[in-house]
Amino acid sequence: LLVAWQVAVAVLAIPVYILPSPVAVWQNLCSDYLAIAQHFYVTTTEVFWSLCCGCLLGFVVAVAMLFSSTVASILQPMLIFSQCIPAFAVAPIIVLWFGFGLFSKVLIATLLVFFPVAINTYDGFKQTPLDYINLATTMNSTSIKIFQHVQLPAAMPMIATGLKLAAVAAPVGAIIGEWSGANAGLGYLMLYYDRQMNIAGVFAVLFVLCLRS
């Protein structure tokens, strides 16, 4: 693919501001690696904290909905409705409220991480075979014991699915936040290169984002 890309750019004489060659992207990556590394650290920090916060919050909410039908009836429609609001629409407001620093980016990414973890974890709990729960009940198990030894292990595949989706959503949320307003991060660096018409730099950042993922 890289060879075909390089040949196509050379043969078709595509301008570098439209599509840079892989060699140009690599040269930009080598020349600006210090700046890219600094911004990479910022974005990675945002992704790490958003994953921690979003996954923890999603799990806690899922457990609360499992143990309380009232909480479930209130929160589940709100969770589903929240997905009707595009992240791009909310991100500028969050940046306006909480500033250009780390917190606003973590909050935006946390919102994207929270939903798949909460919904998949809750669905995993609810899909526990009823026979397992009934058997544990006949053995005089408490609700906590049933949760610990029956429902939680049964929900593990769905929890893993939620974590996989969260791992994809976290960097997306961080980049969206940086595009909305930031002074550091790979998203900020992409916009900086784009304003300079340094498309090779934009592709270099994209390459680093792929490696980070």
mmCIF file of all heavy atoms in Angstrom, residues 3-57:
data_model
loop_
_atom_site.group_PDB
_atom_site.id
_atom_site.type_symbol
_atom_site.label_atom_id
_atom_site.label_comp_id
_atom_site.label_asym_id
_atom_site.label_seq_id
_atom_site.Cartn_x
_atom_site.Cartn_y
_atom_site.Cartn_z
ATOM 1 N N VAL A 3 3.959 1.530 -1.075
ATOM 2 C CA VAL A 3 4.638 1.640 -2.376
ATOM 3 C C VAL A 3 3.683 2.187 -3.428
ATOM 4 O O VAL A 3 4.038 3.078 -4.216
ATOM 5 C CB VAL A 3 5.202 0.273 -2.805
ATOM 6 C CG1 VAL A 3 5.718 0.327 -4.245
ATOM 7 C CG2 VAL A 3 6.329 -0.166 -1.864
ATOM 8 N N ALA A 4 2.447 1.660 -3.441
ATOM 9 C CA ALA A 4 1.447 2.148 -4.399
ATOM 10 C C ALA A 4 1.145 3.623 -4.164
ATOM 11 O O ALA A 4 0.979 4.397 -5.120
ATOM 12 C CB ALA A 4 0.170 1.316 -4.274
ATOM 13 N N TRP A 5 1.079 4.007 -2.904
ATOM 14 C CA TRP A 5 0.856 5.411 -2.542
ATOM 15 C C TRP A 5 1.989 6.297 -3.061
ATOM 16 O O TRP A 5 1.752 7.325 -3.695
ATOM 17 C CB TRP A 5 0.728 5.495 -1.030
ATOM 18 C CG TRP A 5 0.526 6.867 -0.463
ATOM 19 C CD1 TRP A 5 0.387 8.044 -1.145
ATOM 20 C CD2 TRP A 5 0.458 7.197 0.926
ATOM 21 N NE1 TRP A 5 0.238 9.084 -0.261
ATOM 22 C CE2 TRP A 5 0.269 8.599 1.013
ATOM 23 C CE3 TRP A 5 0.525 6.443 2.099
ATOM 24 C CZ2 TRP A 5 0.163 9.252 2.242
ATOM 25 C CZ3 TRP A 5 0.415 7.093 3.313
ATOM 26 C CH2 TRP A 5 0.237 8.480 3.382
ATOM 27 N N GLN A 6 3.223 5.873 -2.833
ATOM 28 C CA GLN A 6 4.386 6.645 -3.278
ATOM 29 C C GLN A 6 4.423 6.765 -4.800
ATOM 30 O O GLN A 6 4.662 7.862 -5.348
ATOM 31 C CB GLN A 6 5.672 5.984 -2.777
ATOM 32 C CG GLN A 6 6.957 6.700 -3.143
ATOM 33 C CD GLN A 6 7.130 8.005 -2.399
ATOM 34 O OE1 GLN A 6 6.753 8.113 -1.240
ATOM 35 N NE2 GLN A 6 7.697 9.010 -3.055
ATOM 36 N N VAL A 7 4.163 5.671 -5.490
ATOM 37 C CA VAL A 7 4.193 5.666 -6.954
ATOM 38 C C VAL A 7 3.079 6.543 -7.515
ATOM 39 O O VAL A 7 3.280 7.310 -8.458
ATOM 40 C CB VAL A 7 4.079 4.230 -7.489
ATOM 41 C CG1 VAL A 7 3.890 4.237 -9.015
ATOM 42 C CG2 VAL A 7 5.323 3.425 -7.120
ATOM 43 N N ALA A 8 1.874 6.443 -6.925
ATOM 44 C CA ALA A 8 0.733 7.223 -7.415
ATOM 45 C C ALA A 8 0.996 8.718 -7.278
ATOM 46 O O ALA A 8 0.702 9.495 -8.194
ATOM 47 C CB ALA A 8 -0.525 6.834 -6.648
ATOM 48 N N VAL A 9 1.572 9.116 -6.156
ATOM 49 C CA VAL A 9 1.876 10.538 -5.952
ATOM 50 C C VAL A 9 2.897 11.026 -6.974
ATOM 51 O O VAL A 9 2.774 12.125 -7.527
ATOM 52 C CB VAL A 9 2.394 10.773 -4.515
ATOM 53 C CG1 VAL A 9 2.951 12.180 -4.366
ATOM 54 C CG2 VAL A 9 1.275 10.548 -3.508
ATOM 55 N N ALA A 10 3.907 10.187 -7.274
ATOM 56 C CA ALA A 10 4.953 10.581 -8.225
ATOM 57 C C ALA A 10 4.427 10.602 -9.664
ATOM 58 O O ALA A 10 4.674 11.553 -10.411
ATOM 59 C CB ALA A 10 6.142 9.628 -8.107
ATOM 60 N N VAL A 11 3.685 9.564 -10.036
ATOM 61 C CA VAL A 11 3.219 9.445 -11.422
ATOM 62 C C VAL A 11 2.147 10.486 -11.736
ATOM 63 O O VAL A 11 2.162 11.120 -12.801
ATOM 64 C CB VAL A 11 2.694 8.020 -11.687
ATOM 65 C CG1 VAL A 11 2.019 7.943 -13.063
ATOM 66 C CG2 VAL A 11 3.822 7.009 -11.597
ATOM 67 N N LEU A 12 1.222 10.662 -10.815
ATOM 68 C CA LEU A 12 0.116 11.587 -11.051
ATOM 69 C C LEU A 12 0.480 13.029 -10.711
ATOM 70 O O LEU A 12 -0.339 13.932 -10.918
ATOM 71 C CB LEU A 12 -1.106 11.156 -10.239
ATOM 72 C CG LEU A 12 -1.664 9.760 -10.549
ATOM 73 C CD1 LEU A 12 -2.817 9.429 -9.617
ATOM 74 C CD2 LEU A 12 -2.111 9.677 -12.005
ATOM 75 N N ALA A 13 1.684 13.226 -10.157
ATOM 76 C CA ALA A 13 2.151 14.566 -9.796
ATOM 77 C C ALA A 13 1.153 15.285 -8.891
ATOM 78 O O ALA A 13 0.789 16.448 -9.110
ATOM 79 C CB ALA A 13 2.430 15.387 -11.047
ATOM 80 N N ILE A 14 0.715 14.581 -7.852
ATOM 81 C CA ILE A 14 -0.241 15.161 -6.912
ATOM 82 C C ILE A 14 0.475 16.186 -6.035
ATOM 83 O O ILE A 14 1.518 15.881 -5.459
ATOM 84 C CB ILE A 14 -0.864 14.054 -6.040
ATOM 85 C CG1 ILE A 14 -1.584 13.024 -6.916
ATOM 86 C CG2 ILE A 14 -1.839 14.649 -5.021
ATOM 87 C CD1 ILE A 14 -2.153 11.850 -6.152
ATOM 88 N N PRO A 15 -0.053 17.379 -5.915
ATOM 89 C CA PRO A 15 0.606 18.402 -5.080
ATOM 90 C C PRO A 15 0.720 17.948 -3.628
ATOM 91 O O PRO A 15 -0.162 17.258 -3.106
ATOM 92 C CB PRO A 15 -0.317 19.618 -5.212
ATOM 93 C CG PRO A 15 -1.096 19.382 -6.465
ATOM 94 C CD PRO A 15 -1.255 17.907 -6.585
ATOM 95 N N VAL A 16 1.796 18.369 -2.981
ATOM 96 C CA VAL A 16 2.053 17.925 -1.616
ATOM 97 C C VAL A 16 1.004 18.463 -0.652
ATOM 98 O O VAL A 16 0.740 17.860 0.394
ATOM 99 C CB VAL A 16 3.467 18.368 -1.177
ATOM 100 C CG1 VAL A 16 3.546 19.881 -1.061
ATOM 101 C CG2 VAL A 16 3.871 17.700 0.128
ATOM 102 N N TYR A 17 0.360 19.600 -0.988
ATOM 103 C CA TYR A 17 -0.668 20.137 -0.107
ATOM 104 C C TYR A 17 -2.006 19.412 -0.270
ATOM 105 O O TYR A 17 -2.961 19.693 0.464
ATOM 106 C CB TYR A 17 -0.854 21.639 -0.340
ATOM 107 C CG TYR A 17 -1.218 22.030 -1.755
ATOM 108 C CD1 TYR A 17 -2.535 22.014 -2.190
ATOM 109 C CD2 TYR A 17 -0.229 22.433 -2.664
ATOM 110 C CE1 TYR A 17 -2.871 22.376 -3.487
ATOM 111 C CE2 TYR A 17 -0.548 22.797 -3.958
ATOM 112 C CZ TYR A 17 -1.872 22.765 -4.364
ATOM 113 O OH TYR A 17 -2.194 23.117 -5.651
ATOM 114 N N ILE A 18 -2.097 18.503 -1.244
ATOM 115 C CA ILE A 18 -3.281 17.663 -1.418
ATOM 116 C C ILE A 18 -3.046 16.288 -0.807
ATOM 117 O O ILE A 18 -3.815 15.814 0.028
ATOM 118 C CB ILE A 18 -3.651 17.519 -2.908
ATOM 119 C CG1 ILE A 18 -3.995 18.886 -3.502
ATOM 120 C CG2 ILE A 18 -4.837 16.558 -3.071
ATOM 121 C CD1 ILE A 18 -5.221 19.538 -2.903
ATOM 122 N N LEU A 19 -1.959 15.647 -1.232
ATOM 123 C CA LEU A 19 -1.618 14.312 -0.719
ATOM 124 C C LEU A 19 -0.102 14.164 -0.713
ATOM 125 O O LEU A 19 0.508 13.960 -1.764
ATOM 126 C CB LEU A 19 -2.259 13.215 -1.585
ATOM 127 C CG LEU A 19 -1.969 11.772 -1.138
ATOM 128 C CD1 LEU A 19 -2.571 11.519 0.243
ATOM 129 C CD2 LEU A 19 -2.519 10.768 -2.159
ATOM 130 N N PRO A 20 0.524 14.268 0.433
ATOM 131 C CA PRO A 20 1.971 14.090 0.506
ATOM 132 C C PRO A 20 2.351 12.623 0.342
ATOM 133 O O PRO A 20 1.546 11.728 0.626
ATOM 134 C CB PRO A 20 2.318 14.597 1.911
ATOM 135 C CG PRO A 20 1.076 14.365 2.696
ATOM 136 C CD PRO A 20 -0.072 14.572 1.753
ATOM 137 N N SER A 21 3.549 12.381 -0.100
ATOM 138 C CA SER A 21 4.031 11.009 -0.260
ATOM 139 C C SER A 21 4.401 10.423 1.094
ATOM 140 O O SER A 21 4.653 11.168 2.065
ATOM 141 C CB SER A 21 5.248 10.994 -1.183
ATOM 142 O OG SER A 21 6.343 11.645 -0.553
ATOM 143 N N PRO A 22 4.456 9.102 1.221
ATOM 144 C CA PRO A 22 4.904 8.489 2.480
ATOM 145 C C PRO A 22 6.293 8.953 2.896
ATOM 146 O O PRO A 22 6.557 9.102 4.096
ATOM 147 C CB PRO A 22 4.880 6.994 2.162
ATOM 148 C CG PRO A 22 3.900 6.842 1.055
ATOM 149 C CD PRO A 22 4.014 8.085 0.249
ATOM 150 N N VAL A 23 7.165 9.199 1.914
ATOM 151 C CA VAL A 23 8.513 9.683 2.238
ATOM 152 C C VAL A 23 8.439 11.061 2.888
ATOM 153 O O VAL A 23 9.128 11.344 3.883
ATOM 154 C CB VAL A 23 9.393 9.723 0.969
ATOM 155 C CG1 VAL A 23 10.719 10.410 1.259
ATOM 156 C CG2 VAL A 23 9.625 8.312 0.442
ATOM 157 N N ALA A 24 7.580 11.932 2.359
ATOM 158 C CA ALA A 24 7.420 13.272 2.927
ATOM 159 C C ALA A 24 6.846 13.211 4.337
ATOM 160 O O ALA A 24 7.259 13.969 5.226
ATOM 161 C CB ALA A 24 6.527 14.124 2.035
ATOM 162 N N VAL A 25 5.910 12.300 4.543
ATOM 163 C CA VAL A 25 5.324 12.130 5.874
ATOM 164 C C VAL A 25 6.394 11.656 6.856
ATOM 165 O O VAL A 25 6.498 12.151 7.978
ATOM 166 C CB VAL A 25 4.152 11.133 5.829
ATOM 167 C CG1 VAL A 25 3.643 10.826 7.230
ATOM 168 C CG2 VAL A 25 3.018 11.685 4.966
ATOM 169 N N TRP A 26 7.207 10.689 6.428
ATOM 170 C CA TRP A 26 8.268 10.168 7.292
ATOM 171 C C TRP A 26 9.305 11.248 7.612
ATOM 172 O O TRP A 26 9.768 11.343 8.747
ATOM 173 C CB TRP A 26 8.928 8.973 6.622
ATOM 174 C CG TRP A 26 10.075 8.406 7.404
ATOM 175 C CD1 TRP A 26 11.409 8.518 7.136
ATOM 176 C CD2 TRP A 26 9.986 7.669 8.628
ATOM 177 N NE1 TRP A 26 12.158 7.891 8.090
ATOM 178 C CE2 TRP A 26 11.319 7.362 9.025
ATOM 179 C CE3 TRP A 26 8.932 7.229 9.419
ATOM 180 C CZ2 TRP A 26 11.595 6.636 10.175
ATOM 181 C CZ3 TRP A 26 9.210 6.511 10.571
ATOM 182 C CH2 TRP A 26 10.522 6.221 10.940
ATOM 183 N N GLN A 27 9.656 12.056 6.619
ATOM 184 C CA GLN A 27 10.613 13.132 6.848
ATOM 185 C C GLN A 27 10.075 14.136 7.859
ATOM 186 O O GLN A 27 10.815 14.618 8.731
ATOM 187 C CB GLN A 27 10.939 13.826 5.520
ATOM 188 C CG GLN A 27 11.777 12.978 4.574
ATOM 189 C CD GLN A 27 11.929 13.621 3.205
ATOM 190 O OE1 GLN A 27 11.176 14.532 2.842
ATOM 191 N NE2 GLN A 27 12.889 13.135 2.424
ATOM 192 N N ASN A 28 8.778 14.460 7.743
ATOM 193 C CA ASN A 28 8.175 15.384 8.699
ATOM 194 C C ASN A 28 8.135 14.779 10.099
ATOM 195 O O ASN A 28 8.378 15.473 11.090
ATOM 196 C CB ASN A 28 6.751 15.735 8.247
ATOM 197 C CG ASN A 28 6.173 16.900 9.018
ATOM 198 O OD1 ASN A 28 5.736 16.752 10.147
ATOM 199 N ND2 ASN A 28 6.171 18.069 8.393
ATOM 200 N N LEU A 29 7.869 13.480 10.165
ATOM 201 C CA LEU A 29 7.837 12.802 11.454
ATOM 202 C C LEU A 29 9.206 12.819 12.117
ATOM 203 O O LEU A 29 9.318 13.032 13.336
ATOM 204 C CB LEU A 29 7.355 11.361 11.260
ATOM 205 C CG LEU A 29 7.099 10.520 12.509
ATOM 206 C CD1 LEU A 29 5.999 11.138 13.366
ATOM 207 C CD2 LEU A 29 6.710 9.100 12.119
ATOM 208 N N CYS A 30 10.248 12.639 11.321
ATOM 209 C CA CYS A 30 11.610 12.639 11.861
ATOM 210 C C CYS A 30 12.062 14.043 12.269
ATOM 211 O O CYS A 30 12.741 14.215 13.288
ATOM 212 C CB CYS A 30 12.574 12.067 10.826
ATOM 213 S SG CYS A 30 12.349 10.313 10.495
ATOM 214 N N SER A 31 11.669 15.036 11.504
ATOM 215 C CA SER A 31 12.125 16.403 11.798
ATOM 216 C C SER A 31 11.389 17.027 12.979
ATOM 217 O O SER A 31 11.953 17.858 13.701
ATOM 218 C CB SER A 31 11.954 17.287 10.554
ATOM 219 O OG SER A 31 10.587 17.378 10.189
ATOM 220 N N ASP A 32 10.123 16.648 13.191
ATOM 221 C CA ASP A 32 9.314 17.251 14.249
ATOM 222 C C ASP A 32 9.003 16.269 15.373
ATOM 223 O O ASP A 32 8.013 16.440 16.090
ATOM 224 C CB ASP A 32 7.995 17.784 13.673
ATOM 225 C CG ASP A 32 8.195 18.980 12.766
ATOM 226 O OD1 ASP A 32 9.323 19.495 12.720
ATOM 227 O OD2 ASP A 32 7.218 19.396 12.117
ATOM 228 N N TYR A 33 9.820 15.245 15.533
ATOM 229 C CA TYR A 33 9.470 14.183 16.478
ATOM 230 C C TYR A 33 9.403 14.675 17.919
ATOM 231 O O TYR A 33 8.606 14.173 18.723
ATOM 232 C CB TYR A 33 10.443 13.011 16.356
ATOM 233 C CG TYR A 33 11.816 13.248 16.940
ATOM 234 C CD1 TYR A 33 12.116 12.861 18.248
ATOM 235 C CD2 TYR A 33 12.819 13.853 16.191
ATOM 236 C CE1 TYR A 33 13.370 13.075 18.781
ATOM 237 C CE2 TYR A 33 14.077 14.070 16.720
ATOM 238 C CZ TYR A 33 14.343 13.676 18.013
ATOM 239 O OH TYR A 33 15.583 13.892 18.550
ATOM 240 N N LEU A 34 10.214 15.676 18.267
ATOM 241 C CA LEU A 34 10.172 16.187 19.639
ATOM 242 C C LEU A 34 8.848 16.872 19.936
ATOM 243 O O LEU A 34 8.222 16.636 20.987
ATOM 244 C CB LEU A 34 11.334 17.155 19.872
ATOM 245 C CG LEU A 34 12.721 16.523 20.039
ATOM 246 C CD1 LEU A 34 13.773 17.608 20.198
ATOM 247 C CD2 LEU A 34 12.743 15.583 21.235
ATOM 248 N N ALA A 35 8.389 17.718 19.023
ATOM 249 C CA ALA A 35 7.105 18.406 19.212
ATOM 250 C C ALA A 35 5.956 17.396 19.216
ATOM 251 O O ALA A 35 5.036 17.487 20.051
ATOM 252 C CB ALA A 35 6.893 19.441 18.108
ATOM 253 N N ILE A 36 6.020 16.433 18.298
ATOM 254 C CA ILE A 36 4.961 15.422 18.232
ATOM 255 C C ILE A 36 4.940 14.603 19.515
ATOM 256 O O ILE A 36 3.869 14.270 20.045
ATOM 257 C CB ILE A 36 5.157 14.532 16.996
ATOM 258 C CG1 ILE A 36 4.928 15.346 15.714
ATOM 259 C CG2 ILE A 36 4.205 13.338 17.029
ATOM 260 C CD1 ILE A 36 5.211 14.584 14.435
ATOM 261 N N ALA A 37 6.114 14.271 20.049
ATOM 262 C CA ALA A 37 6.189 13.479 21.281
ATOM 263 C C ALA A 37 5.579 14.231 22.459
ATOM 264 O O ALA A 37 4.879 13.642 23.297
ATOM 265 C CB ALA A 37 7.640 13.108 21.576
ATOM 266 N N GLN A 38 5.822 15.528 22.530
ATOM 267 C CA GLN A 38 5.260 16.331 23.624
ATOM 268 C C GLN A 38 3.735 16.365 23.560
ATOM 269 O O GLN A 38 3.052 16.194 24.579
ATOM 270 C CB GLN A 38 5.815 17.750 23.563
ATOM 271 C CG GLN A 38 7.303 17.844 23.897
ATOM 272 C CD GLN A 38 7.866 19.242 23.671
ATOM 273 O OE1 GLN A 38 7.196 20.107 23.104
ATOM 274 N NE2 GLN A 38 9.102 19.467 24.094
ATOM 275 N N HIS A 39 3.210 16.567 22.368
ATOM 276 C CA HIS A 39 1.753 16.596 22.213
ATOM 277 C C HIS A 39 1.160 15.194 22.363
ATOM 278 O O HIS A 39 0.020 15.050 22.832
ATOM 279 C CB HIS A 39 1.387 17.193 20.853
ATOM 280 C CG HIS A 39 1.697 18.655 20.751
ATOM 281 N ND1 HIS A 39 0.894 19.629 21.301
ATOM 282 C CD2 HIS A 39 2.739 19.314 20.162
ATOM 283 C CE1 HIS A 39 1.415 20.826 21.061
ATOM 284 N NE2 HIS A 39 2.529 20.665 20.365
ATOM 285 N N PHE A 40 1.915 14.185 21.977
ATOM 286 C CA PHE A 40 1.475 12.799 22.162
ATOM 287 C C PHE A 40 1.276 12.492 23.642
ATOM 288 O O PHE A 40 0.312 11.822 24.037
ATOM 289 C CB PHE A 40 2.518 11.845 21.554
ATOM 290 C CG PHE A 40 2.245 10.394 21.819
ATOM 291 C CD1 PHE A 40 1.352 9.684 21.049
ATOM 292 C CD2 PHE A 40 2.910 9.721 22.849
ATOM 293 C CE1 PHE A 40 1.104 8.339 21.293
ATOM 294 C CE2 PHE A 40 2.675 8.377 23.096
ATOM 295 C CZ PHE A 40 1.767 7.691 22.319
ATOM 296 N N TYR A 41 2.171 12.981 24.465
ATOM 297 C CA TYR A 41 2.064 12.765 25.912
ATOM 298 C C TYR A 41 0.786 13.396 26.460
ATOM 299 O O TYR A 41 0.084 12.793 27.293
ATOM 300 C CB TYR A 41 3.288 13.357 26.620
ATOM 301 C CG TYR A 41 3.199 13.330 28.124
ATOM 302 C CD1 TYR A 41 3.419 12.155 28.831
ATOM 303 C CD2 TYR A 41 2.863 14.486 28.827
ATOM 304 C CE1 TYR A 41 3.317 12.133 30.213
ATOM 305 C CE2 TYR A 41 2.763 14.472 30.208
ATOM 306 C CZ TYR A 41 3.000 13.291 30.900
ATOM 307 O OH TYR A 41 2.886 13.277 32.265
ATOM 308 N N VAL A 42 0.456 14.596 25.992
ATOM 309 C CA VAL A 42 -0.756 15.275 26.453
ATOM 310 C C VAL A 42 -1.996 14.476 26.083
ATOM 311 O O VAL A 42 -2.880 14.229 26.926
ATOM 312 C CB VAL A 42 -0.831 16.694 25.865
ATOM 313 C CG1 VAL A 42 -2.166 17.354 26.213
ATOM 314 C CG2 VAL A 42 0.324 17.547 26.364
ATOM 315 N N THR A 43 -2.092 14.049 24.827
ATOM 316 C CA THR A 43 -3.265 13.300 24.385
ATOM 317 C C THR A 43 -3.360 11.958 25.096
ATOM 318 O O THR A 43 -4.455 11.519 25.468
ATOM 319 C CB THR A 43 -3.209 13.087 22.856
ATOM 320 O OG1 THR A 43 -3.193 14.360 22.208
ATOM 321 C CG2 THR A 43 -4.421 12.305 22.372
ATOM 322 N N THR A 44 -2.235 11.293 25.291
ATOM 323 C CA THR A 44 -2.240 10.008 25.990
ATOM 324 C C THR A 44 -2.717 10.170 27.426
ATOM 325 O O THR A 44 -3.462 9.328 27.949
ATOM 326 C CB THR A 44 -0.831 9.389 25.975
ATOM 327 O OG1 THR A 44 -0.407 9.207 24.617
ATOM 328 C CG2 THR A 44 -0.823 8.035 26.667
ATOM 329 N N THR A 45 -2.316 11.254 28.070
ATOM 330 C CA THR A 45 -2.784 11.534 29.433
ATOM 331 C C THR A 45 -4.295 11.726 29.455
ATOM 332 O O THR A 45 -4.997 11.200 30.339
ATOM 333 C CB THR A 45 -2.091 12.791 29.991
ATOM 334 O OG1 THR A 45 -0.675 12.604 29.959
ATOM 335 C CG2 THR A 45 -2.537 13.062 31.419
ATOM 336 N N GLU A 46 -4.813 12.478 28.486
ATOM 337 C CA GLU A 46 -6.261 12.677 28.402
ATOM 338 C C GLU A 46 -6.987 11.360 28.192
ATOM 339 O O GLU A 46 -8.021 11.103 28.831
ATOM 340 C CB GLU A 46 -6.572 13.639 27.248
ATOM 341 C CG GLU A 46 -6.032 15.049 27.442
ATOM 342 C CD GLU A 46 -6.071 15.873 26.181
ATOM 343 O OE1 GLU A 46 -6.426 15.326 25.116
ATOM 344 O OE2 GLU A 46 -5.739 17.075 26.253
ATOM 345 N N VAL A 47 -6.471 10.533 27.304
ATOM 346 C CA VAL A 47 -7.105 9.238 27.018
ATOM 347 C C VAL A 47 -7.075 8.344 28.251
ATOM 348 O O VAL A 47 -8.067 7.676 28.585
ATOM 349 C CB VAL A 47 -6.407 8.556 25.824
ATOM 350 C CG1 VAL A 47 -6.904 7.121 25.662
ATOM 351 C CG2 VAL A 47 -6.662 9.340 24.541
ATOM 352 N N PHE A 48 -5.943 8.319 28.943
ATOM 353 C CA PHE A 48 -5.808 7.458 30.121
ATOM 354 C C PHE A 48 -6.829 7.831 31.196
ATOM 355 O O PHE A 48 -7.559 6.969 31.713
ATOM 356 C CB PHE A 48 -4.382 7.566 30.683
ATOM 357 C CG PHE A 48 -4.199 6.875 32.012
ATOM 358 C CD1 PHE A 48 -4.065 5.498 32.075
ATOM 359 C CD2 PHE A 48 -4.183 7.612 33.191
ATOM 360 C CE1 PHE A 48 -3.909 4.857 33.303
ATOM 361 C CE2 PHE A 48 -4.028 6.987 34.420
ATOM 362 C CZ PHE A 48 -3.891 5.602 34.473
ATOM 363 N N TRP A 49 -6.912 9.117 31.530
ATOM 364 C CA TRP A 49 -7.819 9.537 32.591
ATOM 365 C C TRP A 49 -9.277 9.396 32.184
ATOM 366 O O TRP A 49 -10.141 9.078 33.019
ATOM 367 C CB TRP A 49 -7.512 10.969 33.018
ATOM 368 C CG TRP A 49 -6.292 11.067 33.868
ATOM 369 C CD1 TRP A 49 -5.109 11.666 33.561
ATOM 370 C CD2 TRP A 49 -6.118 10.524 35.187
ATOM 371 N NE1 TRP A 49 -4.207 11.532 34.579
ATOM 372 C CE2 TRP A 49 -4.801 10.835 35.595
ATOM 373 C CE3 TRP A 49 -6.947 9.805 36.048
ATOM 374 C CZ2 TRP A 49 -4.305 10.447 36.846
ATOM 375 C CZ3 TRP A 49 -6.447 9.423 37.290
ATOM 376 C CH2 TRP A 49 -5.143 9.748 37.668
ATOM 377 N N SER A 50 -9.575 9.628 30.916
ATOM 378 C CA SER A 50 -10.960 9.459 30.467
ATOM 379 C C SER A 50 -11.373 7.994 30.506
ATOM 380 O O SER A 50 -12.526 7.680 30.848
ATOM 381 C CB SER A 50 -11.135 10.033 29.066
ATOM 382 O OG SER A 50 -10.371 9.314 28.117
ATOM 383 N N LEU A 51 -10.460 7.089 30.173
ATOM 384 C CA LEU A 51 -10.775 5.667 30.272
ATOM 385 C C LEU A 51 -11.021 5.258 31.722
ATOM 386 O O LEU A 51 -11.982 4.542 32.028
ATOM 387 C CB LEU A 51 -9.633 4.830 29.682
ATOM 388 C CG LEU A 51 -9.609 4.652 28.170
ATOM 389 C CD1 LEU A 51 -8.339 3.943 27.727
ATOM 390 C CD2 LEU A 51 -10.830 3.863 27.700
ATOM 391 N N CYS A 52 -10.157 5.724 32.614
ATOM 392 C CA CYS A 52 -10.323 5.388 34.037
ATOM 393 C C CYS A 52 -11.654 5.918 34.567
ATOM 394 O O CYS A 52 -12.439 5.175 35.182
ATOM 395 C CB CYS A 52 -9.162 5.951 34.847
ATOM 396 S SG CYS A 52 -7.565 5.186 34.520
ATOM 397 N N CYS A 53 -11.919 7.196 34.318
ATOM 398 C CA CYS A 53 -13.135 7.820 34.847
ATOM 399 C C CYS A 53 -14.393 7.263 34.180
ATOM 400 O O CYS A 53 -15.384 6.942 34.857
ATOM 401 C CB CYS A 53 -13.075 9.334 34.658
ATOM 402 S SG CYS A 53 -11.726 10.139 35.553
ATOM 403 N N GLY A 54 -14.362 7.152 32.854
ATOM 404 C CA GLY A 54 -15.542 6.690 32.130
ATOM 405 C C GLY A 54 -15.899 5.253 32.449
ATOM 406 O O GLY A 54 -17.077 4.922 32.640
ATOM 407 N N CYS A 55 -14.898 4.377 32.516
ATOM 408 C CA CYS A 55 -15.159 2.964 32.807
ATOM 409 C C CYS A 55 -15.656 2.781 34.238
ATOM 410 O O CYS A 55 -16.598 2.022 34.485
ATOM 411 C CB CYS A 55 -13.892 2.133 32.583
ATOM 412 S SG CYS A 55 -13.405 1.992 30.848
ATOM 413 N N LEU A 56 -15.030 3.481 35.178
ATOM 414 C CA LEU A 56 -15.465 3.375 36.575
ATOM 415 C C LEU A 56 -16.886 3.901 36.746
ATOM 416 O O LEU A 56 -17.741 3.253 37.378
ATOM 417 C CB LEU A 56 -14.499 4.144 37.474
ATOM 418 C CG LEU A 56 -14.836 4.151 38.970
ATOM 419 C CD1 LEU A 56 -14.831 2.733 39.524
ATOM 420 C CD2 LEU A 56 -13.846 5.027 39.737
ATOM 421 N N LEU A 57 -17.161 5.071 36.186
ATOM 422 C CA LEU A 57 -18.495 5.656 36.299
ATOM 423 C C LEU A 57 -19.545 4.784 35.610
ATOM 424 O O LEU A 57 -20.646 4.574 36.146
ATOM 425 C CB LEU A 57 -18.493 7.061 35.693
ATOM 426 C CG LEU A 57 -19.799 7.851 35.787
ATOM 427 C CD1 LEU A 57 -20.192 8.067 37.240
ATOM 428 C CD2 LEU A 57 -19.653 9.193 35.070
#
